[in-house]
Amino acid sequence: MLESANGYYFNEYGRNNIQPDMILVEKDYWISGEDGSAKGQFLDLRQNGHVLKLPRLILLATNMSDDEFDKAKAAGFSDTVIMKPLRASMIAACLQQVLSVGMKKQAGKDAPNEPRVPIKSLLSGKKILVVDDNMVNRRVAAGALKKFGANVECADSGGTALKLLQIPHSFDACFMDIQMPEMDGFEATRRIRKMESQVNEQQMVNGGSTIDGTAKKSEWHMPILAMTADVIHATYEECLKCGMDGYVSKPFEEENLYQAVAKFFQSKPKPVSDS
Amino acid sequence: MDRNHLLRQVAYMKNSLFDQGYLDREQFTQLEELQDDANPNFVEEIVTLYYNDSARLIQNMEQTLVNRPIDFVRLEEILHQFKGSSSSIGAKKVNDACTQLREYCSAENTEGCSRTLQLVKQEHAVLRTRLETYFQMVREAG
């Protein structure tokens, strides 16, 4: 990570062909426009024909008015905003959103000046499986999700989770602890995905009818989110590789949870199922 | 004692727990935020659950240090569980002691493990007393 106190040093990056992947900019500095050259430079870097990859631009702010946000967006500047004081979990969630590779950017993507669907209604009536070998953690996770309106069930191991997730099941999402004895979260997820792809293939072969002849559920893919207390070591790539859809840090906090679940539950009609 | 006075006592106690490093402010506050009319005693319930569960884990850890040969792998597994719960309630000093224990465990240092396990037990007990008093006050304040 490189730091810059002003725009001049920043320009050196471009000259020396050091392309940052991501640039965090303090809002007050940018918007004050004192070092007028900086504004232009940021934009140049982005629009410069020599730039091989566009760095993500993230604005850090202690407060942000709608006007300021509009200005930032209009300048083609901000991919997203992180509120200060910085919290590890918030940064993780934000980075996750910004860096999502191959993940569909959901329609109605969250922005401070757009009306947000409150988390209570996002999770209301959703059936969620919490998988964690630790009793206290299960209770805390369940408490958080229930507060946000979800209908929660718990499993104390990957093995138990697999039993509960035999298809067809009626769960809308799963929060999975990564570090568990016997079968860790990655392995459990791999097996769930395997199960799903087998059923999906079968459904295609059968020309669209399901195992038990009821109305076809559109292709099985349950959102699985990793839960980790250790955001640094739980690599995002590892989660994606085994088929997870994202992660949240433990214990849950609203912002973190919102970012993670908004992807899946925002104005998506529930597929027809017999649950 | 009037209610406002009691509420101030509660706040004072809580801040002491944070300032003196017994509880992690952010962690504990997040737990409190989960408390509402539907779950009015959520935090106390979680803490009670923690103490019931962790007492058992401490006993198990002590047992591993009594057996011969010492199964350091098993000890680390139990410790991982224990640390996981302690983190969830924000038990800071307990956690710090756990970190020390884990290092001695990795090094397979028997004497170091025994010593730091005692420290873990101690911090665990001290926090328990402080929290019992705290929740008592919370109940009195209504």
Side-chain angles (χ1 to χ4, degrees):
Chain A
M1 192 167 70
L2 298 163
E3 285 181 348
S4 168
N6 59 47
Y8 297 106
Y9 186 37
F10 185 86
N11 208 21
E12 292 301 313
Y13 294 176
R15 271 205 273 275
N16 298 330
N17 280 320
I18 301 168
Q19 300 294 359
D21 290 301
M22 184 173 301
I23 305 169
L24 273 60
V25 182
E26 217 288 326
K27 182 205 80 175
D28 290 329
Y29 163 67
W30 174 72
I31 221 139
S32 70
E34 270 171 48
D35 188 3
S37 54
K39 252 195 220 177
Q41 281 168 10
F42 290 136
L43 300 176
D44 281 341
L45 189 67
R46 271 211 119 162
Q47 286 145 27
N48 187 340
H50 297 304
V51 170
L52 292 170
K53 59 179 173 181
L54 298 177
R56 297 297 196 160
L57 293 169
I58 298 178
L59 207 55
L60 304 175
T62 44
N63 57 71
M64 191 124 190
S65 69
D66 285 355
D67 276 351
E68 285 171 327
F69 189 84
D70 286 346
K71 233 194 258 183
K73 277 267 176 190
F77 181 91
S78 240
D79 282 303
T80 192
V81 178
I82 303 182
M83 298 312 284
K84 296 199 285 182
L86 298 181
R87 278 195 293 202
S89 56
M90 192 50 213
I91 295 177
C94 204
L95 289 176
Q96 183 187 335
Q97 190 178 326
V98 167
L99 295 175
S100 20
V101 173
M103 280 203 195
K104 225 172 23 157
K105 288 220 166 143
Q106 73 277 20
K109 177 178 158 189
D110 202 43
N113 58 342
E114 269 170 33
R116 264 161 63 135
V117 179
I119 197 168
K120 189 124 191 149
S121 61
L122 261 191
L123 293 183
S124 193
K126 297 284 188 275
K127 191 168 174 195
I128 305 202
L129 180 65
V130 170
V131 187
D132 195 321
D133 63 319
N134 184 305
M135 197 190 321
V136 174
N137 292 344
R138 280 200 301 276
R139 189 71 74 84
V140 172
L145 292 168
K146 278 179 192 164
K147 175 162 177 145
F148 301 140
N151 172 6
V152 181
E153 257 188 63
C154 294
D156 64 359
S157 70
T160 311
L162 282 174
K163 287 194 203 128
L164 290 171
L165 294 174
Q166 288 296 310
I167 293 169
H169 65 73
S170 52
F171 288 98
D172 295 295
C174 175
F175 284 84
M176 178 92 71
D177 182 30
I178 294 181
Q179 277 177 298
M180 290 188 286
E182 285 166 28
M183 193 194 304
D184 69 18
F186 297 127
E187 179 60 25
T189 304
R190 268 181 232 118
R191 295 199 193 183
I192 293 168
R193 293 300 180 223
K194 187 161 177 206
M195 214 179 2
E196 285 174 339
S197 64
Q198 281 169 350
V199 169
N200 291 337
E201 268 170 44
Q202 197 59 45
Q203 275 181 174
M204 286 207 333
V205 165
N206 293 346
S209 60
T210 59
I211 310 157
D212 52 3
T214 50
K216 176 185 185 289
K217 185 173 173 109
S218 51
E219 204 174 76
W220 285 88
H221 178 97
M222 186 177 65
I224 300 178
L225 296 162
M227 291 192 292
T228 175
D230 192 4
V231 171
I232 299 164
H233 289 119
T235 62
Y236 191 58
E237 282 97 40
E238 187 79 46
C239 291
L240 286 185
K241 237 193 325 197
C242 69
M244 283 175 165
D245 298 288
Y247 65 55
V248 292
S249 61
K250 296 199 270 196
F252 296 151
E253 48 148 7
E254 189 172 322
E255 197 57 47
N256 198 230
L257 192 58
Y258 184 90
Q259 299 269 0
V261 300
K263 280 186 171 66
F264 307 106
F265 295 142
Q266 201 145 23
S267 53
K268 235 196 269 191
K270 197 169 158 69
V272 175
S273 71
D274 63 334
S275 62
Chain B
M1 264 192 205
D2 83 321
R3 188 163 184 253
N4 281 331
H5 182 80
L6 288 171
L7 287 173
R8 278 198 298 275
Q9 291 276 77
V10 168
Y12 176 77
M13 267 194 178
K14 192 165 60 169
N15 277 314
S16 299
L17 285 167
F18 294 148
D19 293 337
Q20 290 165 13
Y22 286 100
L23 282 183
D24 179 278
R25 183 186 290 269
E26 197 179 319
Q27 217 84 312
F28 197 75
T29 306
Q30 283 178 21
L31 281 187
E32 287 186 316
E33 281 171 7
L34 296 180
Q35 201 157 272
D36 57 20
D37 293 333
N39 288 296
N41 303 309
F42 185 71
V43 186
E44 194 176 352
E45 282 168 17
I46 293 283
V47 169
T48 307
L49 180 66
Y50 165 72
Y51 272 101
N52 291 338
D53 193 42
S54 56
R56 180 180 56 91
L57 294 174
I58 287 182
Q59 267 185 346
N60 291 346
M61 286 194 279
E62 283 182 316
Q63 189 57 47
T64 63
L65 289 177
V66 160
N67 295 337
R68 290 291 181 277
I70 297 183
D71 188 349
F72 286 103
V73 171
R74 178 82 190 113
L75 176 57
E76 224 214 294
E77 280 171 8
I78 306 169
L79 179 58
H80 175 77
Q81 273 271 334
F82 180 83
K83 192 159 194 250
S85 325
S86 302
S87 299
S88 279
I89 68 158
K92 213 177 196 184
K93 288 198 182 191
V94 173
N95 259 4
D96 291 342
C98 285
T99 305
Q100 289 182 51
L101 175 52
R102 193 169 60 190
E103 280 171 27
Y104 283 116
C105 190
S106 299
E108 299 201 354
N109 179 330
T110 308
E111 195 271 326
C113 284
S114 288
R115 204 171 10 99
T116 47
L117 181 55
Q118 286 314 303
L119 182 61
V120 167
K121 272 179 82 173
Q122 210 177 306
E123 293 296 350
H124 186 252
V126 168
L127 179 62
R128 181 183 211 146
T129 309
R130 294 290 294 259
L131 286 174
E132 273 170 1
T133 315
Y134 172 72
F135 286 120
Q136 171 95 339
M137 185 65 70
V138 167
R139 263 179 262 125
E140 274 173 38

